[in-house]
């Protein structure tokens, strides 16, 4: 299949739209992994990770519907390929940043979601998991090692915004 040149109105639109712009559009199609948003004759690709900060646990077609009006941020414009990508998530508050502003140094309880060789992952907020390093777990002599589902009391010791990582330390209640 050979590339078909884009129409002049499409090319004109792609020359005027810029990365970072906020635009209104209408969802024109939805699949399991992405959606297209019509921004006025040009579709922007909306990939699943750009829909919401929440982990995607339901199919995309249960979150978005064809004909739905949305406001998106333009992430990338490639006029040569007649293509652009957009984001809904970028216009939403980032729960990780909010957590970082309010929880550093705090003692919180959280549920273990996974245990790995590097430590235990603990959900310490609705959309935030932290790592309790294996070195912290080995210091709990006499205590049973945590398993998924256990509730632990931990301290938020470090937050790396760039890497979106939270380091936790064990805290005893009492």
């Amino acid at each position: 299949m050979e590339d078909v040149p884009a129409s002049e109105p499409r090319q004109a639109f792609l020359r005027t739209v810029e990365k970072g712009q906020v635009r209104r559009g209408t969802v024109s199609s939805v699949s399991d992994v992405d959606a297209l948003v019509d921004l006025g004759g040009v579709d922007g690709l909306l990939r699943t990770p750009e829909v919401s900060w929440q982990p995607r646990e339901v199919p995309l077609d249960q979150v978005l519907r064809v004909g739905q009006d949305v406001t998106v941020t333009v992430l990338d414009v490639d006029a040569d390929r007649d293509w652009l990508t957009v984001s809904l998530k970028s216009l939403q508050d980032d729960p990780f940043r909010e957590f970082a502003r309010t929880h550093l140094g705090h003692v919180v309880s959280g549920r273990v979601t996974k245990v790995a060789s590097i430590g235990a992952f603990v959900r310490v907020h609705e959309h935030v998991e932290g790592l309790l390093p294996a070195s912290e777990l080995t210091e709990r002599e006499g205590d049973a090692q945590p398993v998924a589902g256990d509730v632990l009391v931990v301290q938020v010791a470090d937050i790396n915004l760039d890497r979106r990582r939270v380091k936790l330390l064990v805290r005893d209640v009492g």
Side-chain angles (χ1 to χ4, degrees):
M1 182 170 160
E2 62 185 75
D3 290 336
V4 177
S7 68
E8 184 54 39
R10 268 182 83 79
Q11 281 298 309
F13 178 86
L14 288 168
R15 284 192 298 271
T16 62
V17 70
E18 296 177 11
K19 182 178 177 177
Q21 281 183 332
V22 176
R23 296 275 184 144
R24 298 264 322 139
T26 304
V27 176
S28 57
S29 73
V30 180
S31 74
D32 291 342
V33 295
D34 57 28
L36 294 176
V37 177
D38 182 351
L39 299 175
V42 175
D43 284 334
L45 177 65
L46 176 61
R47 293 186 175 98
T48 300
E50 290 301 325
V51 172
S52 170
W53 291 103
Q54 296 180 350
R56 183 63 39 226
E57 296 171 358
V58 297
L60 197 56
D61 62 0
Q62 291 182 21
V63 177
L64 295 171
R65 67 183 190 295
V66 172
Q68 179 179 351
D69 291 330
V70 293
T71 302
V72 296
T73 303
V74 176
L75 295 180
D76 192 29
V77 180
D78 188 340
D80 294 335
R81 291 180 43 215
D82 192 28
W83 196 253
L84 57 100
T85 55
V86 296
S87 172
L88 283 170
K89 175 173 84 171
S90 65
L91 296 173
Q92 302 165 6
D93 290 335
D94 179 352
F96 191 87
R97 287 192 176 279
E98 181 60 30
F99 179 85
R101 277 193 291 274
T102 58
H103 285 79
L104 183 62
H106 288 206
V107 174
V108 297
S109 64
R111 187 168 306 277
V112 175
T113 59
K114 179 181 173 184
V115 178
S117 61
I118 61 171
F121 292 90
V122 181
R123 183 170 308 279
V124 290
H125 191 264
E126 186 178 359
H127 304 293
V128 179
E129 283 188 353
L131 175 65
L132 184 60
S135 60
E136 280 285 304
L137 298 174
T138 58
E139 293 174 9
R140 298 179 59 188
E141 290 185 32
D143 290 341
Q145 294 301 303
V147 296
D150 284 355
V151 174
L152 301 177
V153 176
V154 294
Q155 181 178 14
V156 179
D158 184 50
I159 299 174
N160 183 323
L161 285 172
D162 293 334
R163 297 182 73 195
R164 299 182 72 81
R165 298 215 171 136
V166 176
K167 179 182 177 188
L168 305 171
L169 301 174
V170 172
R171 285 298 166 246
D172 293 323
V173 179

